[in-house]
Amino acid sequence: MKLPFVLCVAAALACPSCAPTAPDSTRTPEAEAMLATLKALPAKGAFMFGHHDDPVYGIGWDGDADRSDVKSVCGDYPAIMSFDLGDIEHGGAYSLDSVPFDRIRRECVAQYERGGMVSFSWHTDNPLTGGDAWDVSGGKEVVKSVLPGGVNHDTFIGWIDRVADFLNSIKTDSGVKVPALFRPWHEHTGSWFWWGQEHCTDSEYLALWQMTYQRMQEKGTDQLLWAYSPGIEPQDTTSYLARYPGDSIVDLIGVDCYQYDSRTDYLAHLDRLLHIMQQVSTAHGKPMAVTETGLEGVTDPTWWTATLLPAVEPYPVSYVLVWRNAREKPGHFYAPYPGQASAEDFVRFYQDPCTLFAGDMK
């Protein structure tokens, strides 16, 4: 039987080495509580399960109320849900995955009120070429163009403002701003995004982070925690931290690591990265998470209990999040749905005392 979440946190906080740092006066009490939870969970050997875009669409459905592929399989929502803010920079009503921002706002409130957490990424368009986040044709000029003095600086500040305004608008009926984890400029150790490794210098990448953080602070986003999440490229703590924005900005460290080839290769990559993050987490006092992972199509029927769970269990991980179940791209899904090959194994994963879902967070 799973340890009730309230008892899990209380027990963890009773341990001096697990206690949260002194509250940051620039954060809301709700954001401080979220950070305390992220720090407390690993002390009891528990981690939250997450899923991207979980309640807004899935395999064979789109926009239904009170629905989730995860919930349809195990009877509960994920403990953490992530959403993407791509296209909000243009002032549109829909995200890059065709989800109404109004719906995302409502789902974030619902997730918070059921005791869960929310996280945001931002696959923003290329501000120099007008292409999407994966358009790297602007090379080394794109990041330069948005920094102070760059030709797109003022425009880009306006884009950040739209992100901040939306996040500040996510409030409960009583006016509480829903706390959230914001994870910009992710997977920067690769070069598939315009902010990636080959498209800017270390100092330019750090300047991009600092500019984003400072402007969001000016816009009053005191309900946010900030996450730093490289891809699989780092080989040691030095390369992991090469573009780290600093302890004064980052609240959680993570990694995006998918299984593309063999189980053996995936486990080797993930174990190396979790070992690196554990060292960084200890040295810098930051909780750690697997911020994106998964096996496309979940073709291994025991992937949840025979691959993911044993890979993560030995490490002090606060959450593990798998990517979306695309309704418009056959085979592009990372969580099970009823009848899917790994659904029965996912139920066993759900029942394991180490895994936390929304119902465990009350």
Side-chain angles (χ1 to χ4, degrees):
M1 183 175 181
K2 294 186 180 182
L3 181 68
F5 172 74
V6 173
L7 295 181
C8 173
V9 173
L13 294 181
C15 169
S17 63
C18 304
T21 56
D24 184 334
S25 61
T26 64
R27 296 194 196 101
T28 64
E30 294 78 18
E32 285 292 343
M34 181 178 179
L35 181 58
T37 297
L38 289 165
K39 289 184 173 183
L41 291 177
K44 295 303 294 183
F47 64 88
M48 294 183 289
F49 173 76
H51 186 211
H52 186 74
D53 276 356
D54 180 80
V56 291
Y57 57 78
I59 304 304
W61 63 278
D62 188 2
D64 298 8
D66 192 28
R67 188 170 180 179
S68 152
D69 283 348
V70 167
K71 183 184 177 188
S72 294
V73 169
C74 72
D76 201 354
Y77 283 110
I80 183 166
M81 298 176 181
S82 67
F83 303 94
D84 197 81
L85 298 170
D87 284 355
I88 203 167
E89 62 269 16
H90 303 303
Y94 293 81
S95 75
L96 82 170
D97 291 317
S98 301
V99 181
F101 284 114
D102 284 345
R103 176 68 186 271
I104 292 175
R105 182 186 293 110
R106 294 196 303 272
E107 293 296 344
C108 289
V109 173
Q111 176 70 350
Y112 175 68
E113 291 181 339
R114 68 173 64 99
M117 294 185 186
V118 294
S119 173
F120 289 97
S121 53
W122 184 24
H123 287 90
T124 184
D125 281 351
N126 186 313
L128 186 64
T129 67
D132 61 22
W134 293 264
D135 176 16
V136 297
S137 61
K140 296 182 179 180
E141 299 303 313
V142 186
V143 172
K144 288 180 182 177
S145 79
V146 303
L147 297 178
V151 294
N152 290 310
H153 176 68
D154 291 343
T155 296
F156 199 73
I157 289 296
W159 288 11
I160 296 173
D161 287 353
R162 283 180 172 147
V163 169
D165 290 344
F166 175 72
L167 295 176
N168 282 334
S169 76
I170 304 174
K171 297 179 180 179
T172 66
D173 288 343
S174 61
V176 173
K177 287 195 290 186
V178 172
L181 190 68
F182 186 40
R183 193 172 61 92
W185 319 131
H186 65 300
E187 298 176 13
H188 62 278
T189 48
S191 297
W192 44 88
F193 296 131
W194 57 259
W195 56 84
Q197 184 74 28
E198 295 178 1
H199 310 307
C200 58
T201 65
D202 289 357
S203 61
E204 288 167 346
Y205 179 81
L206 292 172
L208 175 65
W209 251 96
Q210 291 159 357
M211 180 183 72
T212 305
Y213 177 80
Q214 183 58 40
R215 185 63 178 183
M216 296 282 278
Q217 292 295 101
E218 292 170 2
K219 293 287 291 183
T221 56
D222 52 359
Q223 80 281 25
L224 298 184
L225 302 179
W226 293 72
Y228 171 77
S229 57
I232 68 168
E233 293 75 17
Q235 298 297 312
D236 51 33
T237 58
T238 300
S239 53
Y240 182 88
L241 292 169
R243 297 190 174 191
Y244 182 65
D247 287 346
S248 63
I249 292 178
V250 174
D251 297 296
L252 176 140
I253 59 168
V255 71
D256 293 3
C257 178
Y258 289 87
Q259 181 176 339
Y260 292 110
D261 299 311
S262 72
R263 176 179 182 271
T264 300
D265 288 346
Y266 171 71
L267 290 175
H269 286 311
L270 189 55
D271 187 67
R272 182 189 77 247
L273 292 160
L274 288 169
H275 180 70
I276 291 169
M277 287 200 300
Q278 185 174 22
Q279 295 178 69
V280 175
S281 173
T282 300
H284 293 258
K286 306 295 180 182
M288 56 185 270
V290 182
T291 42
E292 288 184 34
T293 194
L295 170 63
E296 187 177 37
V298 203
T299 52
D300 179 350
T302 60
W303 190 80
W304 304 101
T305 62
T307 297
L308 184 62
L309 189 60
V312 172
E313 272 186 311
Y315 293 96
V317 170
S318 297
Y319 75 83
V320 173
L321 185 140
V322 298
W323 203 238
R324 70 193 189 105
N325 283 14
R327 74 288 207 202
E328 80 287 359
K329 186 178 178 182
H332 187 67
F333 63 88
Y334 293 86
Y337 54 88
Q340 199 271 329
S342 73
E344 290 186 9
D345 189 59
F346 186 81
V347 173
R348 291 189 287 271
F349 175 83
Y350 163 75
Q351 293 169 339
D352 192 280
C354 291
T355 63
L356 299 175
F357 286 68
D360 303 309
M361 304 298 287
K362 292 294 187 180

